[in-house]
Amino acid sequence: MGLQKRLLSLGMIGAISFFLSDVLGCILVQGYNPITSYISVLSADGTPYSGVMRTFIMIYQVCFLLFSITLCIKSFKEYCPYTRVGSILLFGVACLSVFTFGVFPMTVESAINPQNMIHLILAITIITLPILALFLLSLGYKKDQRSILARASFIAAILILFFDLSHLFAIKNGWDILGLLQRLSVYSFHAFTFFLSWIYVRKTRRTVH
């Protein structure tokens, strides 16, 4: 396996690492409800096992950062401008993830404080930016005649948009399922990342069409 494929395989490793951080957190943190509570609560300052959670998240961040950089390089060499811009936006998501979970993690304080406000602003940006990135990738891959990737990007973008709008609707109506809706949105994105990584690593150029 060449260096490029090794780096592209980090997309799968990163997605698995994020999934493990969430699963382990739900198991280890007593009283935590994944239906009602956000994922970021598991790695908040002062919570039990936050060090373990942040270790897995850090692995995800490094893997996704290297994956997105490699994807940008590949896009500029082989793909159309839409795909290039979409790849750049994915790299932007990776960079924002580092700041959101690493530099400005949530605290366990219930009151609004500057650190939590910055975390929430960055988190909202991370939620919305992938939608634009995936729609651009869908259009780009279609022009690049990569029909499987175009369909996967479009489906993932629609799912994330639907779950994010449902999230806002739940907040407005006081539904206590915000953790579930966040996970549906986040895992739609990670499922796409895993699939994209798998396609580039396991499939030949012909089968990507």
Side-chain angles (χ1 to χ4, degrees):
M1 183 185 294
L3 177 60
Q4 185 181 75
K5 282 193 174 183
R6 290 181 186 276
L7 292 173
L8 288 172
S9 70
L10 294 178
M12 292 184 285
I13 298 174
I16 293 172
S17 181
F18 190 94
F19 175 76
L20 288 176
S21 73
D22 188 30
V23 171
L24 286 175
C26 292
I27 295 173
L28 294 175
V29 179
Q30 294 183 354
Y32 179 82
N33 189 339
I35 303 297
T36 61
S37 301
Y38 288 128
I39 298 173
S40 54
V41 173
L42 295 172
S43 58
D45 287 341
T47 56
Y49 308 103
S50 61
V52 177
M53 302 303 106
R54 290 181 184 180
T55 298
F56 278 100
I57 290 175
M58 183 180 67
I59 294 172
Y60 153 71
Q61 290 171 337
V62 172
C63 288
F64 186 51
L65 195 63
L66 293 174
F67 167 78
S68 60
I69 291 174
T70 308
L71 187 63
C72 285
I73 295 173
K74 184 177 180 65
S75 297
F76 272 86
K77 288 181 178 179
E78 302 178 16
Y79 296 141
C80 73
Y82 291 110
T83 311
R84 296 171 187 172
V85 175
S87 301
I88 292 173
L89 292 181
L90 283 184
F91 175 66
V93 173
C95 294
L96 285 173
S97 176
V98 173
F99 281 95
T100 303
F101 293 104
V103 181
F104 297 103
M106 285 193 69
T107 69
V108 293
E109 300 175 12
S110 57
I112 297 297
N113 57 56
Q115 182 169 326
N116 282 350
M117 284 297 297
I118 294 174
H119 177 93
L120 290 173
I121 292 171
L122 291 172
I124 292 171
T125 305
I126 289 179
I127 289 172
T128 56
L129 194 59
I131 298 174
L132 178 59
L134 291 177
F135 276 125
L136 285 171
L137 285 176
S138 177
L139 180 60
Y141 282 133
K142 184 175 181 180
K143 289 183 175 294
D144 294 323
Q145 298 183 342
R146 304 293 192 266
S147 58
I148 293 177
L149 298 182
R151 288 195 298 268
S153 303
F154 182 77
I155 292 172
I158 292 296
L159 287 174
I160 296 171
L161 179 60
F162 173 76
F163 291 132
D164 287 351
L165 292 176
S166 299
H167 195 156
L168 295 176
F169 189 78
I171 293 175
K172 180 180 178 181
N173 290 276
W175 295 351
D176 204 11
I177 57 171
L178 301 184
L180 173 63
L181 292 173
Q182 184 200 37
R183 282 172 168 81
L184 291 173
S185 174
V186 168
Y187 284 127
S188 295
F189 177 75
H190 289 310
F192 167 77
T193 302
F194 186 96
F195 177 76
L196 184 63
S197 175
W198 180 79
I199 283 289
Y200 279 129
V201 172
R202 293 297 183 91
K203 299 296 183 179
T204 64
R205 191 177 183 84
R206 177 176 298 178
T207 57
V208 174
H209 286 275

